[in-house]
Amino acid sequence: MCASIIHFSLGVAHFDLIVSTISLIFPLAYGNFDWLEYGGIWFITIIMTIYGMTAALLAGIASALSVYAAQSVSYQNPVRRTMTARSLRSSSWNRPTEAASILDSNEIGRKKILIIQLQGHLFFGNVAQLTDNIKATLEQKKGTPAEPWIVIIDFTLVLGMDSSAAQAIGKLKDTMRKRFHIDVAIFVSGSRDGFPCKYDLSHELSCPADPADQDTINKEAALLFGGEAKMEKINTPANLVHTPRLIRSSRDTGLPIPQNLVCDSLDSALIFAENVLIARKNPCLLEDIAEFREPLTKSNNEGEFYSSDEEKRSAIIFLSNLCPGESLSDVEQLFSLFKREVYNENEIIWRQGSVSDSAKLLVKGRLLSLLENEEGTLEQIPTGAMLGELGLVKGIDRLNTVQCVSDGAVLYSLDREDWDVLKRDNPRIARFIDMIVIRYLAHRVQHVSNRIFETRCLPV
């Protein structure tokens, strides 16, 4: 009887020790495994409590094999799809005609960007299949007109990744460069928080450069991206998660290009890839755009922003980009109806639901578009874009709230009164605004964000 009591006491103590251990480990590990792995942990715990350590070791082996088999079936193909960027469009759609022609070219354009979209859980059981599939795809295209110059690997739909899979991705980066001569490899984490794993994959993939070269790298990366390349904590869509290391392209590029980098969205990755293609053909196009997007300067007296000839010149060029094929004189005639407006940081340009009484052209500064009833739904408006044109043409209320998020912003506005006069007196020029609406809606249909989850918006 005493022996039974002793054994029972030891069993209770053993169970308490296991439960205490689990209570310490689970909060740290929570969210790092899927339900199969959690089930295996509990199965081993119960066996250990009832039958002891030896039985628990056998149960662990059986559980590991079962989880491996189940995961191999559940996540059989980690590659969701592979496609070129030929039919995709980024947010940077108002490019100069020459730049747009480069991107539309079959020889040097978006067709040279290969996008590989991953899905599900990546673990030691399927990462070999993943890397083999990517290598086979690149091998098939190698030496053909379809050979890619830039590869974008998108992790947006990846739910989790173990350390062995993360390390295999790091090795794949080197293989793509050395074996397949990929100029630029871009990895999309799908989140500002980085990749869904404990391993520091962002650092591994971004190849940080020597701090002494950082200023040069930031300048060149910003030129290629068309924005800030530094890591910044701002309440706007991020561009680059990590600053890349720049090298000379093996295909006679006019600028140093990033060997590999990490972005937090497929849109920002596509913008960077497009700029690399443009820089390969004509770096001056990017330099001209960067010149038009220089920061605003303030006067020493009134604190107001200068209105310069250069600013008007850039505004006309931006408007001309939105009206491809139209003569400069016609664009200037349309621009003559626009009135200059200046907004300060955090100032609201308009609120969702307000009356649409104008269309505006963003010449300098940064604006943020957001939906007030949908938390987290926001989008940065690029310099050179027109906003509010749909409301002006159709007469509907504002669909979003627009706010200035830079030190200041300069916009040129076409109000409803001038728009009505233009439609009546010069419908040919008024049609330019109608075409901007059509082009923007067509761009939205082809925007890369519509092609991430399901292809329900086909290119038009």
Side-chain angles (χ1 to χ4, degrees):
M1 182 67 179
C2 292
S4 300
I5 294 174
I6 292 173
H7 281 101
F8 177 77
S9 300
L10 290 175
V12 172
H14 188 207
F15 180 77
D16 288 342
L17 177 60
I18 293 172
V19 171
S20 300
T21 303
I22 292 174
S23 66
L24 292 174
I25 294 175
F26 260 51
L28 298 176
Y30 182 76
N32 295 330
F33 307 107
D34 63 14
W35 66 272
L36 289 172
E37 293 166 321
Y38 282 122
I41 294 173
W42 279 110
F43 174 69
I44 296 170
T45 301
I46 294 171
I47 295 298
M48 184 185 299
T49 303
I50 299 175
Y51 299 106
M53 185 63 70
T54 302
L57 291 175
L58 296 176
I61 296 174
S63 175
L65 293 175
S66 301
V67 170
Y68 171 76
Q71 287 180 328
S72 297
V73 173
S74 301
Y75 316 126
Q76 188 171 6
N77 189 3
V79 178
R80 182 173 182 268
R81 63 179 171 183
T82 301
M83 63 183 297
T84 69
R86 184 177 181 179
S87 64
L88 300 180
R89 298 297 181 268
S90 70
S91 295
S92 185
W93 67 287
N94 54 330
R95 296 182 180 275
T97 303
E98 185 178 350
S101 65
I102 293 174
L103 297 178
D104 292 337
S105 169
N106 288 329
E107 290 75 27
I108 59 175
R110 293 187 186 92
K111 193 175 180 180
K112 290 298 184 180
I113 303 173
L114 179 67
I115 298 177
I116 302 172
Q117 190 176 48
L118 309 183
Q119 65 181 351
H121 288 78
L122 306 182
F123 69 108
F124 69 95
N126 64 5
V127 71
Q129 179 188 8
L130 165 64
T131 55
D132 288 344
N133 285 348
I134 294 177
K135 292 176 186 176
T137 300
L138 295 177
E139 188 69 44
Q140 183 180 10
K141 296 178 179 295
K142 187 176 180 180
T144 69
E147 181 179 10
W149 295 345
I150 302 171
V151 172
I152 299 176
I153 301 182
D154 181 19
F155 289 77
T156 302
L157 299 182
V158 172
L159 303 176
M161 189 184 337
D162 66 15
S163 59
S164 58
Q167 292 171 9
I169 295 297
K171 295 178 181 177
L172 176 64
K173 169 200 68 176
D174 297 327
T175 301
M176 290 193 299
R177 177 172 55 86
K178 296 177 181 178
R179 179 176 168 184
F180 299 104
H181 309 294
I182 299 300
D183 281 348
V184 184
I186 306 176
F187 301 87
V188 180
S189 64
S191 169
R192 183 184 285 265
D193 298 327
F195 295 92
C197 61
K198 290 296 182 181
Y199 184 76
D200 192 0
L201 186 58
S202 295
H203 183 272
E204 171 70 19
L205 295 177
S206 59
C207 287
D210 190 289
D213 300 328
Q214 200 62 53
D215 290 341
T216 301
I217 289 172
N218 287 340
K219 180 179 178 181
E220 298 290 358
L223 181 62
L224 284 169
F225 191 83
E228 289 296 329
K230 298 179 181 178
M231 295 176 62
E232 293 188 83
K233 297 293 184 180
I234 55 176
N235 190 28
T236 58
N239 294 336
L240 301 182
V241 176
H242 283 256
T243 303
R245 180 176 68 189
L246 298 181
I247 61 168
R248 287 287 174 182
S249 169
S250 60
R251 294 184 173 88
D252 190 24
T253 306
L255 285 175
I257 66 170
Q259 179 180 356
N260 43 73
L261 69 154
V262 177
C263 296
D264 70 351
S265 71
L266 188 54
D267 181 47
S268 60
L270 186 56
I271 291 175
F272 202 104
E274 289 174 344
N275 285 349
V276 169
L277 294 177
I278 295 171
R280 175 179 284 109
K281 179 65 176 179
N282 186 356
C284 296
L285 287 174
L286 293 181
E287 293 171 356
D288 291 342
I289 294 173
E291 179 183 351
F292 294 142
R293 294 173 179 174
E294 285 297 313
L296 299 174
T297 56
K298 293 184 178 181
S299 66
N300 295 326
N301 299 325
E302 302 296 331
E304 295 294 330
F305 297 104
Y306 283 121
S307 176
S308 63
D309 293 338
E310 290 78 9
E311 178 187 285
K312 290 182 178 180
R313 182 170 66 93
S314 63
I316 292 173
I317 290 177
F318 286 142
L319 187 58
S320 180
N321 292 341
L322 296 172
C323 305
E326 306 298 344
S327 67
L328 183 60
S329 60
D330 286 342
V331 173
E332 290 175 341
Q333 183 178 351
L334 175 61
F335 180 74
S336 67
L337 300 176
F338 284 70
K339 299 178 179 65
R340 187 174 186 269
E341 298 176 347
V342 176
Y343 294 87
N344 297 316
E345 186 174 9
N346 298 323
E347 190 172 354
I348 300 296
I349 284 75
W350 63 63
R351 288 199 175 276
Q352 185 174 331
S354 60
V355 176
S356 297
D357 56 1
S358 64
K360 302 181 188 297
L361 178 68
L362 176 60
V363 178
K364 289 188 177 181
R366 292 203 314 270
L367 302 181
L368 194 65
S369 170
L370 55 95
L371 300 181
E372 295 185 355
N373 298 325
E374 300 181 23
E375 184 178 356
T377 304
L378 47 82
E379 179 180 351
Q380 186 168 316
I381 300 174
T383 306
M386 183 170 285
L387 53 152
E389 71 280 4
L390 179 62
L392 181 68
V393 171
K394 293 200 64 177
I396 59 177
D397 292 339
R398 300 296 189 191
L399 301 176
N400 59 352
T401 295
V402 178
Q403 182 180 14
C404 176
V405 293
S406 57
D407 291 339
V410 173
L411 295 90
Y412 282 79
S413 179
L414 173 65
D415 60 37
R416 179 166 297 281
E417 182 179 349
D418 289 334
W419 164 246
D420 291 337
V421 172
L422 181 65
K423 287 192 297 181
R424 184 191 65 208
D425 296 343
N426 198 338
R428 185 179 65 84
I429 299 297
R431 185 175 175 273
F432 292 1
I433 301 296
D434 295 332
M435 292 305 299
I436 290 175
V437 173
I438 294 173
R439 289 187 66 239
Y440 186 68
L441 293 177
H443 157 74
R444 279 298 187 185
V445 171
Q446 295 175 269
H447 192 267
V448 66
S449 63
N450 290 330
R451 312 289 290 282
I452 294 179
F453 298 102
E454 295 293 339
T455 307
R456 300 190 184 278
C457 294
L458 297 180
V460 296

